[in-house]
């Protein structure tokens, strides 16, 4: 294990199952490596504005505004420290819990779990803090380019889309993947590794 603390900046949309998987990996990395993780909100709804999308995906993007706005409003009104707990509370219900169609109730329950005011739920349909949501989103996307989604992870300042993984590695396996990401991030000309996904998210 290195004596030098590394940093990870992690941009997520609460509804993205792949971001959820990667965030669970990052939590495992925190157990086995000396890292500092900073959690940032981004928005698939913002990312897909103006794009031609299938009707069902467009509906999903319309629904994506709510949880992203609530997390961002919580950050604006209660500080950065509430971002990760609220993401965990929402994501646990949406992803392994399979309750993505119950978003209003999910948000209410998540706010109560984290100890945040129930009134924050109203921001799901409010554009009051959309400027700061877009700014956080833009900060992540500008590091990697427009042709990616969520998650965006910056390893000691160098950002990539991904890693996209399932299931989330645990223990030293998680640490070795982190080490590899840091290694390739340190190569100035390294941009991409990719293969076709053959499995969906495995929530364990």
């Amino acid at each position: 294990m290195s004596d030098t603390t590394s940093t990870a900046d992690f941009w997520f949309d609460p509804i993205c199952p792949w971001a959820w998987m990667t965030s669970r990996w990052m939590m495992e990395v925190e157990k086995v490596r000396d890292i500092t993780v900073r959690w940032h909100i981004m928005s698939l709804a913002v990312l897909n504005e103006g794009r031609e999308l299938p009707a069902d995906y467009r509906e999903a993007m319309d629904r994506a505004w709510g949880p992203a706005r609530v997390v961002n409003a919580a950050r604006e009104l209660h500080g950065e420290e509430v971002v990760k707990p609220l993401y965990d509370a929402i994501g646990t219900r949406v992803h392994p819990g399979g309750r993505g169609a119950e978003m209003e109730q999910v948000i209410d329950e998540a706010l109560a779990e984290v100890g945040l005011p129930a009134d924050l739920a109203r921001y799901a349909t409010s554009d009051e803090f959309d400027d700061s949501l877009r700014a956080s989103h833009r900060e992540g996307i500008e590091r990697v380019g427009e042709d990616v989604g969520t998650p965006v992870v910056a390893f000691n300042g160098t950002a990539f889309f991904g890693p996209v993984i399932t299931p989330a590695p645990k223990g030293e396996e998680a640490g070795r993947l982190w080490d590899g990401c840091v290694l390739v991030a340190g190569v100035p000309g390294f941009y991409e590794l990719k293969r076709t996904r053959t499995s969906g998210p495995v929530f364990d």
Side-chain angles (χ1 to χ4, degrees):
M1 185 178 294
S2 171
D3 292 332
T4 303
T5 300
S6 295
T7 59
D9 285 279
F10 192 108
W11 281 266
F12 65 91
D13 184 305
I15 71 161
C16 178
W18 295 107
W20 179 254
M21 299 303 302
T22 307
S23 72
R24 302 308 94 177
W25 162 67
M26 187 64 67
M27 290 170 60
E28 286 292 313
V29 175
E30 288 182 295
K31 299 175 184 177
V32 296
R33 294 294 185 272
D34 186 11
I35 67 169
T36 298
V37 184
R38 296 180 292 235
W39 301 88
H40 310 275
I41 190 69
M42 64 182 294
S43 169
L44 288 172
V46 171
L47 183 70
N48 286 286
E49 281 183 321
R51 296 182 179 180
E52 291 292 330
L53 301 172
D56 57 342
Y57 195 66
R58 170 52 60 197
E59 291 176 4
M61 291 303 95
D62 290 342
R63 293 193 301 271
W65 279 107
R69 280 171 163 166
V70 170
V71 172
N72 185 62
R75 177 179 67 90
E76 287 286 305
L77 297 172
H78 297 277
E80 298 284 348
E81 64 273 12
V82 305
V83 171
K84 178 60 163 46
L86 186 55
Y87 176 36
D88 289 344
I90 292 173
T92 298
R93 291 168 171 80
V94 169
H95 300 301
R99 297 177 57 198
E102 307 171 25
M103 194 55 71
E104 289 186 12
Q105 185 176 356
V106 162
I107 288 172
D108 289 343
E109 292 176 7
L111 290 170
E113 177 184 323
V114 177
L116 288 168
D119 183 62
L120 281 172
R122 72 180 182 85
Y123 290 100
T125 55
S126 168
D127 63 2
E128 182 175 345
F129 292 117
D130 278 8
D131 285 350
S132 63
L133 172 60
R134 291 176 184 277
S136 181
H137 174 89
R138 186 168 58 250
E139 182 185 2
I141 288 296
E142 284 180 348
R143 298 191 186 203
V144 290
E146 293 291 339
D147 56 341
V148 301
T150 174
V152 170
V153 184
F155 303 90
N156 295 325
T158 300
F160 295 99
F161 165 61
V164 176
I165 45 179
T166 187
K170 293 182 170 58
E172 185 56 23
E173 183 182 5
R176 288 196 300 269
L177 177 57
W178 167 264
D179 296 340
C181 290
V182 171
L183 177 64
V184 298
V187 178
F190 180 86
Y191 292 101
E192 184 175 11
L193 282 173
K194 189 169 185 178
R195 61 176 175 166
T196 300
R197 300 175 198 171
T198 58
S199 176
V202 177
F203 303 123
D204 57 354

